[in-house]
Amino acid sequence: MLFRKNETMPQFSDRFLRIVAFAILMMSISYASAAAAHFVSDDVYDVLRTVRKIFGLGAAGIVIIPFLQLMRIRFKNEPACKNESEGFIADVYAKSTINAFSAGFVGLIFLEPFAAKVTPDLSPAFFVQTALSLMMAVLGINFFIKSRADDGELDDEFDDEFENEAGPK
Amino acid sequence: MSGELTNRIRVYRAEHRLSQGALAGIIGVSRKTISTIEVGKFVPSTVIALKIARHFGVPVEDIFALNTE
């Protein structure tokens, strides 16, 4: 049994990926807060620390239940998951991860001279947090922009046409 | 060789009186996948293309073609 009534495995898989992408965006904010905390006063530091915790825990919170659900389905009925990696949303997610990796790579290349010359006293944690925040932001934003592709709204009309022609059963 | 992949899924669906959701259920993908294939936004895997062709009982080239113009 899945989360929503009449939800098929591919639909659940798509929804799961959307939740994961949203959680990754939340993690991006969490890491950005952690990175920004290196430059602020103690008062603002406490605020940023709270923001980091809220977004970090929120991300874990929204993913954990669908993740357990997915694991349960995988262990129970593996054949139902065979096509889940071949759909449009899974493809967009995979491409978004590649873009995120590329952004992280380029970001680190730009951060490297910055680290050596401008901010030699900064903790390495800052650079790790910045790179992670950048990569996660690119992944999440890229995913949501590409996954809301115009996919032919005319289909609803088409479906209605079939249903009307079929008549009541 | 480069070209745009075109398809006739909508035509075959109409012939078989099948909605996107129904075809998606048969193939084992989401409706979004079928609709994005139809509008040319998403190029399906070979497995999905073959499943669609098999469902309609035609060779895969009847449904998918490379537009080289």
Side-chain angles (χ1 to χ4, degrees), chain B residues 5-65:
Chain B
L5 187 72
T6 59
N7 70 80
R8 301 179 69 226
I9 295 174
R10 194 174 170 81
V11 175
Y12 278 95
R13 278 200 304 110
E15 280 177 9
H16 288 74
R17 306 167 70 81
L18 209 58
S19 68
Q20 285 182 345
L23 179 62
I26 292 162
I27 304 301
V29 296
S30 62
R31 191 198 71 83
K32 181 106 178 167
T33 298
I34 295 295
S35 61
T36 49
I37 292 171
E38 276 191 11
V39 297
K41 198 96 186 174
F42 173 56
V43 177
S45 69
T46 313
V47 173
I48 291 177
L50 287 168
K51 279 184 176 179
I52 293 170
R54 187 173 66 185
H55 174 72
F56 290 128
V58 294
V60 74
E61 307 94 288
D62 282 10
I63 297 178
F64 295 97

Side-chain angles (χ1 to χ4, degrees), chain A residues 97-130:
Chain A
T97 58
I98 293 168
N99 289 343
F101 178 80
S102 304
F105 196 68
V106 172
L108 284 173
I109 288 170
F110 277 104
L111 275 174
E112 195 272 333
F114 179 71
K117 291 174 185 170
V118 184
T119 57
D121 299 332
L122 261 179
S123 156
F126 164 76
F127 296 98
V128 174
Q129 288 157 353
T130 305

